[in-house]
Amino acid sequence: MYIKPVKDIWSGRTDSETDIRSFRYHQQVKMMEIQEDGEGETASALLGFSCDEGVRRNEGRQGAAKAPLAVKQALAKLPWHLPESGIVYDAGNIACEGINMEEAQEELGKAVSSLLKKNITPIIIGGGHETFYGHYQGAREYIGEDAKLGIINIDAHFDMRPYDAQTSSGTMFRQILDQDKLANYLCLGIQQSGNTAALFDAAEHYGVKYLMEDQVSDGNLQSLFIEIDSFVQKCDALILTLCMDSIDSSYAPGVSAPTPFGLHPKIVRKLVAYITSINKTLSFDLCEVNPELDEGGKTVSVAANMLHTAMMGFHKMRGV
């Protein structure tokens, strides 16, 4: 299931081979296999999760398994703005073999936990949103069973469907809240048209905090930050996930479930920058990019820029 990182995918324009202020990501990203130790005090690692099985089970449009490679290649071409002390690794890719999604999620969890124990910030590129369940497993293993874990999801959907028959890319948060009484869930960008009345009932039943998409705007930014801060105060640790279908489909058409009235990418970028700069935030994942359905590479480009924003946030630098 584990695929080693490949240096060849990191290529792009070279403005200088000596002046770091002219570098791009492809000149700075280092290769690191999961079992290896990192270096430096402010390192992050890009870890792919190539999986379409959760989307298939959820009857969505498949193709997100190709996202880790496509997004890394787009990130490679972006200018480097991290400090000289900042280190970014490509930690390779975990691939789902056939229908064995649960095994792949478990493998992802082990990788996330391993990175956190090395003081390396995991930045995970899905895959369908089932990616998050493995992300969660790794974070929970790392912080221990007695810590209060905050989960922030930027998404048009609750992803809290029943899972009596099987789990999918639409069930993860219900799974987590059923099994983990010390997990709290905040969802930003919920769309009425993307969730049944039964899912809103489920959110109320589980005590989920959420803001509708019309509440997530530049004009409401300070109120958003206050809401986030209030949520974070009740947590010992925090993990962030971004489903790309939360973004307006004119900017992110290449997803399983495009959202015509989604969030503007600028407000999503500000949210990612703010949340990743919080000291309690352990890790970040980005899911549901489908390169096969993308128009002119729009969605892949937005995703790569969101990853850059997250890394700037983790390094406490101005990224927006």
Side-chain angles (χ1 to χ4, degrees), residues 172-238:
M172 310 78 58
F173 297 100
R174 193 170 190 145
Q175 292 173 252
I176 292 166
L177 294 174
D178 276 340
Q179 70 189 52
D180 191 337
K181 301 310 177 185
L182 292 178
N184 292 299
Y185 177 27
L186 170 64
C187 194
L188 306 174
I190 284 294
Q191 294 259 349
Q192 186 180 61
S193 61
N195 301 272
T196 63
L199 288 172
F200 279 95
D201 291 343
E204 295 293 339
H205 173 76
Y206 283 91
V208 175
K209 302 292 184 183
Y210 64 90
L211 295 176
M212 303 296 290
E213 58 85 17
D214 58 352
Q215 296 174 285
V216 182
S217 65
D218 265 332
N220 203 27
L221 197 59
Q222 291 308 311
S223 296
L224 281 171
F225 291 165
I226 290 171
E227 187 77 27
I228 291 167
D229 290 343
S230 176
F231 178 79
V232 171
Q233 286 175 4
K234 301 172 185 176
C235 307
D236 297 315
L238 186 70

Side-chain angles (χ1 to χ4, degrees), residues 125-144:
I125 309 167
H129 212 173
E130 70 274 7
T131 302
F132 181 73
Y133 190 71
H135 178 183
Y136 154 77
Q137 288 177 308
R140 172 51 80 189
E141 196 281 330
Y142 171 70
I143 65 175

Side-chain angles (χ1 to χ4, degrees), residues 150-166:
I151 296 166
I152 298 181
N153 178 27
I154 304 172
D155 202 339
H157 309 97
F158 286 118
D159 287 338
M160 293 182 62
R161 296 188 182 197
Y163 54 96
D164 299 335
Q166 62 181 354

Side-chain angles (χ1 to χ4, degrees), residues 66-309:
K66 296 182 179 179
L69 175 60
V71 175
K72 286 179 183 179
Q73 288 176 321
L75 180 64
K77 298 173 175 60
L78 295 184
W80 175 266
H81 287 282
L82 295 175
E84 290 191 38
S85 60
I87 296 173
V88 176
Y89 295 107
D90 181 348
N93 197 46
I94 291 168
C96 175
E97 298 179 343
I99 63 172
N100 298 315
M101 184 182 81
E102 288 79 9
E103 290 83 350
Q105 289 170 322
E106 183 177 351
E107 193 72 16
L108 175 60
K110 291 176 182 177
V112 168
S113 177
S114 175
L115 290 170
L116 287 168
K117 289 174 181 177
K118 297 171 187 175
N119 199 33
I120 298 173
T121 301
I123 298 177
I124 306 136
I125 309 167
H129 212 173
E130 70 274 7
T131 302
F132 181 73
Y133 190 71
H135 178 183
Y136 154 77
Q137 288 177 308
R140 172 51 80 189
E141 196 281 330
Y142 171 70
I143 65 175
E145 61 182 16
D146 297 325
K148 296 177 181 178
L149 178 62
I151 296 166
I152 298 181
N153 178 27
I154 304 172
D155 202 339
H157 309 97
F158 286 118
D159 287 338
M160 293 182 62
R161 296 188 182 197
Y163 54 96
D164 299 335
Q166 62 181 354
T167 61
S168 73
S169 62
T171 65
M172 310 78 58
F173 297 100
R174 193 170 190 145
Q175 292 173 252
I176 292 166
L177 294 174
D178 276 340
Q179 70 189 52
D180 191 337
K181 301 310 177 185
L182 292 178
N184 292 299
Y185 177 27
L186 170 64
C187 194
L188 306 174
I190 284 294
Q191 294 259 349
Q192 186 180 61
S193 61
N195 301 272
T196 63
L199 288 172
F200 279 95
D201 291 343
E204 295 293 339
H205 173 76
Y206 283 91
V208 175
K209 302 292 184 183
Y210 64 90
L211 295 176
M212 303 296 290
E213 58 85 17
D214 58 352
Q215 296 174 285
V216 182
S217 65
D218 265 332
N220 203 27
L221 197 59
Q222 291 308 311
S223 296
L224 281 171
F225 291 165
I226 290 171
E227 187 77 27
I228 291 167
D229 290 343
S230 176
F231 178 79
V232 171
Q233 286 175 4
K234 301 172 185 176
C235 307
D236 297 315
L238 186 70
I239 54 179
L240 173 63
T241 177
L242 166 61
C243 186
M244 288 292 291
D245 68 19
S246 65
I247 297 174
D248 190 301
S249 58
S250 61
Y251 300 97
V255 295
S256 177
T259 309
F261 300 109
L263 303 175
H264 195 285
K266 286 187 177 180
I267 188 65
V268 175
R269 184 176 61 158
K270 289 176 181 178
L271 289 172
V272 170
Y274 187 78
I275 297 166
T276 54
S277 70
I278 296 171
N279 288 331
K280 291 182 181 180
T281 306
L282 300 176
S283 48
F284 171 63
D285 76 58
L286 180 150
C287 299
E288 297 282 354
V289 175
N290 188 331
E292 292 186 346
L293 300 174
D294 209 3
E295 297 172 7
K298 290 180 182 179
T299 316
V300 168
S301 177
V302 172
N305 278 273
M306 291 297 177
L307 293 184
H308 168 71
T309 296

Side-chain angles (χ1 to χ4, degrees), residues 1 50-54 56-57 95-101 104:
M1 290 184 183
S50 295
C51 183
D52 268 323
E53 177 59 15
R56 185 193 69 79
R57 296 181 189 181
C96 175
E97 298 179 343
I99 63 172
N100 298 315
M101 184 182 81

